[in-house]
Every structure is written in C-alpha cells, then in structure tokens.
C-alpha cells in the first residue's frame, strides 16, 4: 500500500518493565503503536493476534512486570516524522528546565515551541526532551500548552508518576495559574467565568473554540494583579482544562488577550505590537499540587520571558 508503512514487518516481543504494571493492554498498545487507528488495535486483540505470555487476552487485561507481549505486524498511515533537534534548540530547552527529580520534570516552555512535533513542525518539546534524556524511556507529557503559550509544563519520567499526576488532574488536585495581559476596564477585581466551550472546525479546516450551551463545562477564575491605565495584568486560575479556555473566556468578557490572533481584537493587538509585543501574552506561571502521602505541596514557578517584563515596564511608564 503506497499510503501506508509498516511499524514492523514481523512479529516482535515486548518485555513489560516496571512503571507499566497495572495498565490495560489496549491502552498500552494504543500508546505504543502511535498512529495506528484504535479500531485496528481492538481488531488484533479480538482476533488473538496479540498474546501475553503466549496466551490470548482480552482488551481489559492489566499488564504485570515481566509480561511478554506478542505484537503482530501492523501498518499505519504515513506522517511527518519530527527530525533530530539541533544542539542550539536542545541547549535552549535544557536551560528552560526549572525542576527535575526521578519522578517528573518541569519546563518553562518557551513561546513558539509546540509540545509535539509532526504536522509540518520540525520538533516538539517531548521529542527534544527524549533526545536530551535518551536514558529515560518513559518520558510523557502530563498536559499540554498551546504553541504560543509559555510557562510551566509537566513531564512525567515514570508511568507510575504519569498515572498519579493524571489522577490529580482529574480530581482538580493541581492548581494551575496563568498570567495574561488585556486591554480594557473591569469594575470588579475578581471575575469567575462559567461558560461551556465547544470545539468547532471552520470550512478551511481551522479549529476554533466557542462559548456554546452544547459545549463542555468550563470555569476560569480571573483576578486583577495590576491596573496600568487602559491595560490589566490578570491572573487566571483554571478550574477545568479545555482547549483555548483562558483565551476564549477572556474574549467572552470583552477583553481578549493581547497578541491573540485567533480570538483577539485587531486594534488592541496593533497597539500592543507598537509597544513591542510580538507574541501571545499568556504565561503558565505556577503549578501547585501535593503528591499522595506527602506532607508538603510542590510549587513550581516559571519566570516571565524578559521581553514580556520589558513590555510591562513600558506600559507602566506610559500609564504613570
């Protein structure tokens, strides 16, 4: 088939290492066979082509350390594979690491860098980190940030850590705070936006998110950090984690984020550009959570890029 390529042309065996125990075999295969349709994964499971310790298993089988998983030949659609990341970009990301231990890594992700490569992008954060840490075989993104958003990004170094962090996210146990800059006036210092969000795809294929009663529940708590003339420096706390949530909720209030080409105001963006803004002013500033059975919170803070600090200095001077 001209439009497909084999992941493997022969049967091969995977030995399950510590960190993968307890994971369902279907989820394990979906993650391992990246790009293969889920329907195909379930088909090879139903047909008994996937075997564990030489025996047939069901899709809900949970893996154990030492299991030997037989994986049959499968094919996947061709896709752009991210290339090797050059040393300059690797050095930039190495310097952006703000915390690392045996369980996790926290990166102050630069604006303009995607979390994943592919789709025309030469590389993403996760591919670069796997190149930086070749000895770490279980690096996975815990959550995502938009390409133009900077700040705290969590990466798990163990499957067990990934499960723990995902459970904390599901139970709202991770406090995520962003800072952003808007133009306009609010009468109150604190505003909670509870507006459901729905993903739409436009005719040209561009994905946008809109406030719509048919959408998923979405809650953002905004508070003003500083008033600077016609500009407001805002803290946003995510109570849910929807695509483009802060950007759409800020626009819903009538004060879209400066530098936002998708949901923003063209005139306000032009004014901000004249002051030196060349990117989306949205930064994931802090993450706070408590690891199960530990007594103290873990708190991570990512400083603003110097260009954003300099912009704020100019705005303050203009407003005084």
């Amino acid at each position: 088939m001209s439009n497909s390529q084999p992941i493997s042309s022969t049967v091969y065996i995977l030995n399950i290492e510590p960190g993968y125990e307890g994971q369902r075999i279907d989820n394990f295969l979906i993650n391992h066979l990246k790009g293969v349709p889920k329907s195909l994964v379930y088909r090879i499971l139903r047909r008994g082509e996937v075997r564990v310790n030489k025996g047939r298993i069901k899709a809900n089988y949970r893996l154990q350390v030492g299991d030997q998983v037989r994986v049959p030949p499968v094919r996947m659609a061709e896709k752009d594979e991210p290339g090797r990341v050059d040393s300059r970009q690797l050095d930039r990301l190495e310097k952006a690491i703000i915390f690392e231990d045996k369980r996790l890594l926290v990166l102050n992700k630069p604006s303009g860098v995607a979390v994943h490569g592919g789709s025309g992008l030469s590389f993403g954060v996760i591919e670069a980190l796997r190149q930086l840490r070749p000895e770490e075989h279980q690096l996975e993104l815990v959550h995502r940030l938009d390409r133009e958003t900077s700040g705290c990004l969590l990466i798990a170094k163990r499957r067990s850590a990934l499960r723990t962090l995902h459970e904390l996210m599901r139970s709202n146990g991770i406090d995520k705070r962003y800072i952003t800059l808007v133009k306009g006036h609010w009468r109150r210092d604190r505003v909670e936006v509870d507006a459901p969000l729905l993903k739409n795809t436009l005719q040209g294929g561009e994905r946008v998110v809109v406030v719509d009663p048919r959408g998923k529940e979405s809650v953002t708590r905004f508070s003003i950090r500083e008033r600077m003339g016609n500009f407001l420096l805002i803290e946003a706390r995510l109570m849910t984690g929807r695509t483009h949530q802060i950007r759409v909720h800020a626009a819903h209030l009538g004060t879209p984020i400066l530098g936002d080409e998708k949901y923003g105001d063209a005139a306000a963006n032009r004014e901000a550009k004249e002051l030196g803004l060349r990117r989306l002013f949205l930064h994931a500033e802090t993450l706070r959570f408590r690891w199960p059975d530990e007594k103290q919170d873990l708190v991570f803070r990512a400083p603003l890029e110097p260009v954003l600090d300099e912009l704020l200095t100019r705005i303050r001077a203009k407003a005084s």
Side-chain angles (χ1 to χ4, degrees):
M1 295 170 64
S2 60
N3 65 338
S4 63
Q5 59 183 357
I7 281 185
S8 172
S9 58
T10 60
V11 169
Y12 61 98
I13 304 296
L14 290 172
N15 294 303
I16 300 304
E17 300 174 350
Y20 291 91
E21 69 274 13
Q23 188 176 19
R24 284 174 51 134
I25 184 68
D26 54 352
N27 293 331
F28 172 80
L29 290 170
I30 288 165
N31 184 63
H32 178 73
L33 302 173
K34 293 186 187 299
V36 172
K38 290 183 181 180
S39 58
L40 177 55
V41 170
Y42 285 103
R43 191 181 311 143
I44 61 177
L45 281 165
R46 284 196 307 272
R47 290 176 176 174
E49 295 177 51
V50 175
R51 304 217 169 193
V52 176
N53 304 327
K54 300 183 179 179
R56 294 178 67 131
I57 40 80
K58 294 183 178 180
N60 62 357
Y61 173 81
R62 295 192 179 272
L63 295 167
Q64 303 295 320
V65 174
D67 276 352
Q68 292 192 321
V69 180
R70 174 196 186 272
V71 183
V74 291
R75 303 185 76 88
M76 61 179 284
E78 284 186 354
K79 61 179 181 179
D80 296 331
E81 292 293 339
R84 297 287 291 175
V85 184
D86 67 49
S87 58
R88 182 178 60 85
Q89 296 285 6
L90 289 176
D91 184 57
R92 182 187 184 199
L93 287 179
E94 182 77 64
K95 290 176 180 176
I97 295 171
I98 56 180
F99 177 83
E100 184 174 7
D101 67 8
K102 64 181 181 180
R103 301 178 298 196
L104 58 91
L105 182 153
V106 185
L107 185 78
N108 184 1
K109 186 189 84 66
S111 176
V113 178
V115 294
H116 265 303
S119 301
L121 299 173
S122 59
F123 76 98
V125 165
I126 193 64
E127 291 83 13
L129 288 175
R130 286 168 180 161
Q131 196 172 318
L132 272 171
R133 300 284 189 274
E135 73 284 0
E136 299 286 356
H137 303 298
Q138 298 179 19
L139 287 176
E140 293 288 350
L141 291 164
V142 176
H143 61 116
R144 296 169 183 266
L145 292 177
D146 291 346
R147 184 178 178 183
E148 297 307 318
T149 302
S150 56
C152 287
L153 182 67
L154 270 175
I155 294 94
K157 297 175 70 175
R158 301 286 184 272
R159 291 291 308 181
S160 55
L162 183 66
R163 287 197 296 272
T164 296
L165 291 164
H166 277 169
E167 181 54 39
L168 283 170
M169 290 183 71
R170 279 192 291 272
S171 62
N172 211 22
I174 299 182
D175 186 337
K176 294 189 278 188
R177 312 260 177 140
Y178 293 68
I179 52 174
T180 186
L181 186 68
V182 303
K183 185 183 178 187
H185 297 281
W186 292 2
R187 287 181 296 175
R188 292 179 291 160
D189 287 342
R190 296 177 184 275
V191 180
E192 179 171 303
V193 178
D194 184 351
L197 298 180
L198 180 69
K199 291 181 185 177
N200 274 353
T201 301
L202 300 180
Q203 198 167 22
E206 181 187 14
R207 186 177 67 178
V208 297
V209 178
V210 296
V211 173
D212 190 296
R214 297 170 297 168
K216 294 182 178 179
E217 179 190 17
S218 307
V219 180
T220 310
R221 292 176 181 169
F222 294 99
S223 59
I224 296 176
R225 284 249 188 116
E226 188 177 353
R227 297 176 185 266
M228 301 171 288
N230 292 329
F231 295 92
L232 301 173
L233 186 64
I234 304 294
E235 176 184 285
R237 183 183 179 191
L238 283 177
M239 308 309 294
T240 53
R242 310 301 180 204
T243 300
H244 298 171
Q245 179 175 318
I246 296 173
R247 297 165 65 183
V248 179
H249 278 175
H252 184 63
L253 290 172
T255 49
I257 295 172
L258 292 173
D260 193 338
E261 299 295 335
K262 188 186 290 279
Y263 305 105
D265 177 81
N269 284 346
R270 279 195 301 271
E271 183 178 349
K273 196 169 185 179
E274 289 170 3
L275 289 166
L277 184 62
R278 298 288 184 271
R279 50 156 289 191
L280 176 73
F281 200 125
L282 182 59
H283 178 73
E285 184 183 48
T286 60
L287 287 170
R288 178 190 291 267
F289 56 90
R290 183 170 298 189
W291 207 268
D293 301 323
E294 293 189 0
K295 295 181 179 180
Q296 288 188 321
D297 287 353
L298 293 169
V299 183
F300 306 107
R301 184 181 184 279
L304 277 178
E305 292 179 359
V307 290
L308 296 186
D309 271 329
E310 292 162 7
L311 172 71
L312 293 176
T313 298
R314 285 192 289 275
I315 291 174
R316 290 183 186 110
K318 186 180 177 183
S320 62

